[in-house]
Amino acid sequence: MNRIDHSRRSFISRIPKVSAASLAATGLLGGKWAYAKTAVKPNIIFILADDLGYADLSVYGQRHFETPHLDKLAKQGVRFTQAYANSAVCSATRFGLITGRYQYRLRGGLEEPLSSSNNNIGLPVDHPTLPSLLKKQGYKTALFGKWHLGSLPTFGPLKSGYDTFFGNYGGALDYFTHKTNVGPDAKEGLFEGEVPVEKVGYYTDLIADRAVDYIKTHDKKNPFLLSLHFTAPHWPWEGPEDEAVAQEIKSLFHYEGGSLETYAKMVKSLDEAVGRVLKTLDANGLAKNTIVIFTSDNGGERFSDTWPFTGQKTELLEGGIRVPAIVRWPAAIKSGQVSEQVAITMDWLPTLLSAAEGAPDPAYPSDGENLLPILFGAQPVKPRTLFWRYKGNNQRAIRSGDWKYLKIANNEFLFNLAEDVRERANYAERNPEKFNELKQQWESWNKTMLVIPQEANTHVVDGTLQADRHGVISTKK
């Protein structure tokens, strides 16, 4: 037996229950679907935090509090150090996640964030999505938590591939009152399917409660996709013991409140909620063949830790788009890995479909890449070229290999991220060839995307663009 044959057999013997399509993606089966008849498709739990900073988990460098459950999850799988969000804001990234494509291909993806007052803009109900494509592979699908891809009656998770939904349709709600604003005219924010409901409890816990019940009652006849899209640690700044604060908040944006201590409570509550879900998987014998992914929709906001990066939500600096990303699949993925592979939100659709023996709709090819070969250790880290744009202050960015071109207002930069993750040393004049190459590459890519109309909604964190650290004058919206 030669070394290649031995390596192939050794690899396959470690993961006997992984689907044939998944293994074929690595090239290790040599085109032979040896396990097609006995393969068990994995369950999938996709956990999305809201506005979580890169270093808000202790496994990513948080120094002031612990996140033991997510730290343990990282040790049991793969932790990415160069994962990106599709956008620096919530709604746009969610378009990238659910479609597996650049959000700029859809009108709704140009709204940053998506305006809940416009019922004509959202995720088209006929567009293939991660849940709708998994349903074709026999999956049951559920979303608990934040939707933020268009308002009723035109749009909604039940219209775009989910069998079950409990959560909020808009961008945020109070963690205790579950309303979309404050005052007597504030609307109820919680829905069961498409019907408004009232619940008692801290929203992070309510989402975890529903996830636990869903796993416990799973009939095991069909694999499931369980999307847990928490609003934590998005404003308003309320920890699980801060119910009294909800009665005093003057605006849901909560400009007058919050603290590092409260933020820590919110993140720790999120960690505990994830821990409950993982414990339920173990108790029901589902952990081994369940893919669990944890990541964030964009970089952190005012109380987040984005070290060692600069920038935050609404900015295309690394702190606004670099996010934690963890993947665990005990049946197939070796534990204790740290990957430097550059990845992005829209990669998860082709990756998860491959694990489920499916593929993106050929009429809507994914802009992302299948990460299974990387996760299986069958392919070395490879360079990527990724693009971003953000209407606020006319921002644009491209990362190609270690190089990043960035424009903020009329200021342009070229950074070498391998040497300078804080984006301080501007190589634009020192390396004009690379600067012009990336700038032209971005222009060419941009021509393939929808034009952002003037009326597209945009917001900036705290009402102020934080890019003045690069010489840009901050502007109030």
Side-chain angles (χ1 to χ4, degrees):
M1 180 186 300
N2 62 38
R3 181 175 298 178
I4 294 176
D5 288 337
H6 176 75
S7 175
R8 177 186 296 135
R9 293 190 181 189
S10 175
F11 177 84
I12 293 173
S13 68
R14 294 199 305 270
I15 49 175
K17 292 186 178 181
V18 177
S19 69
S22 302
L23 289 175
T26 70
L28 293 177
L29 283 185
K32 298 179 181 179
W33 292 51
Y35 290 83
K37 293 183 179 180
T38 59
V40 178
K41 293 180 181 179
N43 300 308
I44 299 167
I45 298 182
F46 195 98
I47 307 172
L48 189 65
D50 200 341
D51 293 358
L52 187 76
Y54 179 83
D56 277 338
L57 307 182
S58 40
V59 72
Y60 276 92
Q62 175 56 244
R63 297 155 289 175
H64 304 296
F65 56 86
E66 299 293 324
T67 52
H69 301 291
L70 287 165
D71 294 354
K72 182 178 179 181
L73 183 71
K75 293 176 182 177
Q76 293 172 334
V78 179
R79 176 171 65 89
F80 284 84
T81 61
Q82 300 196 71
Y84 288 91
N86 259 59
S87 176
V89 289
C90 302
S91 181
T93 291
R94 292 163 199 271
F95 274 93
L97 170 62
I98 203 167
T99 66
R101 291 156 63 84
Y102 279 113
Q103 62 273 21
Y104 319 108
R105 296 187 181 279
L106 293 171
R107 176 62 182 85
L110 307 182
E111 296 283 314
E112 302 175 345
L114 191 68
S115 174
S116 60
S117 62
N118 192 333
N119 289 328
N120 296 319
I121 298 177
L123 176 64
V125 297
D126 59 348
H127 196 295
T129 64
L130 176 61
S132 71
L133 292 167
L134 285 173
K135 280 172 67 71
K136 292 183 178 180
Q137 300 303 313
Y139 278 70
K140 298 294 184 181
T141 59
L143 168 61
F144 301 143
K146 180 174 175 177
W147 167 246
H148 208 200
L149 291 171
S151 303
L152 291 171
T154 309
F155 309 101
L158 300 186
K159 304 178 190 298
S160 291
Y162 284 106
D163 299 317
T164 305
F165 171 67
F166 166 77
N168 59 306
Y169 277 83
L173 77 175
D174 188 274
Y175 285 84
F176 293 98
T177 68
H178 312 137
K179 293 187 176 183
T180 58
N181 212 319
V182 298
D185 298 326
K187 297 180 180 179
E188 296 292 341
L190 282 185
F191 284 77
E192 189 76 54
E194 298 184 352
V195 180
V197 294
E198 294 186 12
K199 298 288 184 180
V200 176
Y202 188 64
Y203 191 34
T204 302
D205 294 335
L206 293 181
I207 294 173
D209 290 344
R210 289 302 300 268
V212 167
D213 290 343
Y214 186 87
I215 294 169
K216 286 181 177 179
T217 58
H218 172 55
D219 62 14
K220 298 186 180 181
K221 294 179 181 179
N222 298 90
F224 63 78
L225 164 67
L226 177 54
S227 298
L228 301 181
H229 294 185
F230 291 92
T231 58
H234 193 289
W235 44 257
W237 314 112
E238 300 168 336
E241 307 299 326
D242 293 337
E243 187 169 4
V245 175
Q247 308 303 321
E248 301 173 356
I249 291 178
K250 299 177 182 178
S251 167
L252 203 62
F253 289 89
H254 208 176
Y255 291 131
E256 79 281 7
S259 66
L260 289 174
E261 181 181 7
T262 298
Y263 186 79
K265 293 177 182 178
M266 297 174 74
V267 176
K268 288 192 291 184
S269 176
L270 171 64
D271 178 72
E272 291 168 2
V274 172
R276 289 173 53 207
V277 173
L278 299 179
K279 182 178 179 180
T280 306
L281 276 181
D282 288 332
N284 287 270
L286 297 172
K288 185 175 182 181
N289 198 35
T290 296
I291 301 172
V292 179
I293 296 175
F294 177 89
T295 188
S296 180
D297 60 352
N298 48 251
E301 224 191 46
R302 72 189 79 169
F303 296 114
S304 300
D305 190 344
T306 61
W307 180 263
F309 312 117
T310 57
Q312 58 181 337
K313 179 180 177 179
T314 76
E315 300 174 336
L316 297 184
L317 292 154
E318 292 292 288
I321 53 178
R322 189 89 71 103
V323 293
I326 299 167
V327 185
R328 186 190 78 176
W329 185 8
I333 296 175
K334 183 181 178 181
S335 63
Q337 298 184 65
V338 178
S339 177
E340 295 183 357
Q341 176 62 55
V342 173
I344 192 168
T345 310
M346 60 189 177
D347 292 339
W348 299 121
L349 180 141
T351 299
L352 294 174
L353 286 176
S354 179
E357 300 186 21
D361 188 314
Y364 299 84
S366 177
D367 294 313
E369 293 192 8
N370 177 12
L371 298 175
L372 281 188
I374 298 293
L375 294 171
F376 288 162
Q379 178 176 294
V381 171
K382 63 178 183 178
R384 297 283 299 276
T385 299
L386 302 173
F387 303 87
W388 295 267
R389 68 185 191 189
Y390 186 67
K391 181 183 176 184
N393 227 29
N394 190 28
Q395 298 178 71
R396 55 184 66 176
I398 171 177
R399 172 165 181 173
S400 183
D402 291 330
W403 291 100
K404 179 179 177 181
Y405 163 76
L406 174 68
K407 181 177 181 180
I408 304 177
N410 295 317
N411 299 274
E412 297 180 295
F413 309 90
L414 177 67
F415 300 117
N416 186 324
L417 295 178
E419 301 174 355
D420 174 32
V421 295
R422 288 187 62 75
E423 297 172 284
R424 299 293 187 179
N426 187 1
Y427 278 74
E429 293 185 3
R430 292 173 58 186
N431 193 340
E433 291 185 1
K434 178 60 68 173
F435 175 81
N436 290 322
E437 173 191 333
L438 294 188
K439 183 175 179 180
Q440 182 56 52
Q441 199 171 354
W442 188 95
E443 294 285 358
S444 297
W445 165 82
N446 189 50
K447 291 177 182 178
T448 68
M449 300 293 141
L450 295 179
V451 175
I452 301 177
Q454 287 296 319
E455 66 271 17
N457 184 43
T458 298
H459 79 168
V460 287
V461 67
D462 291 347
T464 304
L465 188 68
Q466 300 296 316
D468 56 345
R469 59 178 64 86
H470 283 295
V472 179
I473 298 176
S474 298
T475 57
K476 293 289 183 180
K477 184 176 183 291

